[in-house]
Amino acid sequence: MEGTPVTVESVREVGPGTVALELETPDGFDAAPGQFVLLRAVPWDVADEEVDDDDVVMRHYTLSSPAVDETFELTVGIDPDGDLSPWLADLEGGEIVHIEGPFGTITYERDTDVVAAAGGPGVGPAVAIAEAAHESGHGAVVIYQDDEPAHRDRLETLEEAGANVVLLESDDDDGLADAIETHLEDGQLYAFGFESFVTTVADAIEDAGGDPDEALIENFG
Ligand SMILES: Cc1cc2nc3c(=O)[nH]c(=O)nc-3n(C[C@H](O)[C@H](O)[C@H](O)COP(=O)(O)OP(=O)(O)OC[C@H]3O[C@@H](n4cnc5c(N)ncnc54)[C@H](O)[C@@H]3O)c2cc1C
């Protein structure tokens, strides 16, 4: 299988329908918050059979740890009808997956205040960037739209450290637009999430008089 084999160190639930995978860091691998990897695996039992290319499923996942040490973290929203995410959520640790990367030009270099908007599993990189901002003495706002929020403990810790955390229901696009308008000038704007979420964020930036092209937007597809 293409990519570098890495051990899944642990998998833990971090919210309803959401898991965090801690992966062993391969030699020479480094990544900035905002970047993503291509993860390959064979998500069904072919133990005694020859694995061919048709069995391999590959998906992109964005780092959700503020830094890469011995391990790094990915946050995966479970799509019950999906090919890979339910399989990843069922792992126990000790399994091998293959990764390639890091990829992506959207990075946080610990050099400015941030406003991180997240929809669904986009909360992973949003929290990571907010944590990296705090660690480097910068301000952070997290705007997070999800009916069943994940990473609540990390969001609470961020709030206690002075970050501004805005939690919104999934259908509250007016609230999302208000929050974007309120915090437009508070730092470099990032957005992470699936197509409809990042489109709503881009529209909200434009409606508020900002330039969506200046926002760093990662579309999960
Ligand atoms: C740059 C980037 C970064 C990303 N980062 C993250 C991240 O950090 N966290 C995260 O959770 N996700 C992230 N994603 C999304 C992730 O790569 C997967 O798309 C997601 O986990 C779903 O994969 P899956 O195999 O479980 O579902 P899939 O098998 O891809 O299916 C997804 C949905 O589509 C439906 N579907 C599949 N095929 C068809 C079809 N032919 N017709 C109709 N419906 C169909 C399925 O029923 C299911 O509901 C990212 C994506 C990109 C591009």
Side-chain angles (χ1 to χ4, degrees):
M1 202 186 301
E2 282 177 59
T4 307
V6 298
T7 305
V8 178
E9 296 282 342
S10 67
V11 182
R12 66 183 204 289
E13 200 177 318
V14 292
T18 312
V19 293
L21 264 66
E22 200 75 35
L23 301 183
E24 166 202 22
T25 304
D27 283 348
F29 178 92
D30 198 12
Q35 290 192 293
F36 52 89
V37 295
L38 181 63
L39 189 151
R40 285 187 173 84
V42 179
W44 46 79
D45 189 14
V46 286
D48 296 324
E49 298 167 32
E50 185 93 353
V51 174
D52 69 41
D53 285 352
D54 292 346
D55 298 322
V56 177
V57 177
M58 57 186 112
R59 301 283 184 263
H60 291 104
Y61 293 102
T62 313
L63 268 75
S64 60
S65 43
V68 173
D69 299 314
E70 307 282 296
T71 62
F72 66 96
E73 187 195 80
L74 306 175
T75 294
V76 177
I78 306 165
D79 183 330
D81 301 321
D83 284 338
L84 193 61
S85 57
W87 181 82
L88 290 171
D90 274 350
L91 298 180
E92 290 172 352
E95 299 87 351
I96 303 285
V97 295
H98 288 64
I99 62 159
E100 219 179 293
F103 299 112
T105 53
I106 292 180
T107 59
Y108 177 56
E109 306 293 344
R110 298 174 179 251
D111 51 358
T112 180
D113 294 348
V114 296
V115 178
V123 68
V127 164
I129 282 176
E131 289 172 347
H134 261 261
E135 282 171 18
S136 53
H138 293 287
V141 178
V142 178
I143 301 169
Y144 175 26
Q145 192 178 36
D146 196 323
D147 283 341
E148 296 184 306
H151 285 307
R152 294 196 84 125
D153 51 345
R154 286 166 73 180
L155 290 166
E156 275 166 28
T157 304
L158 275 165
E159 259 186 322
E160 282 160 19
N164 199 334
V165 176
V166 182
L167 277 182
L168 298 160
E169 300 282 323
S170 294
D171 60 359
D172 190 5
D173 284 350
D174 289 343
L176 179 58
D178 284 349
I180 296 288
E181 185 172 16
T182 303
H183 296 289
L184 197 57
E185 305 296 332
D186 289 348
Q188 171 63 52
L189 213 145
Y190 290 81
F192 299 94
F194 289 100
E195 171 92 24
S196 64
F197 174 78
V198 295
T199 304
T200 305
V201 169
D203 290 346
I205 294 168
E206 192 148 28
D207 291 348
D211 180 356
D213 291 340
E214 284 178 13
L216 300 174
I217 296 178
E218 196 164 285
N219 185 345
F220 287 2

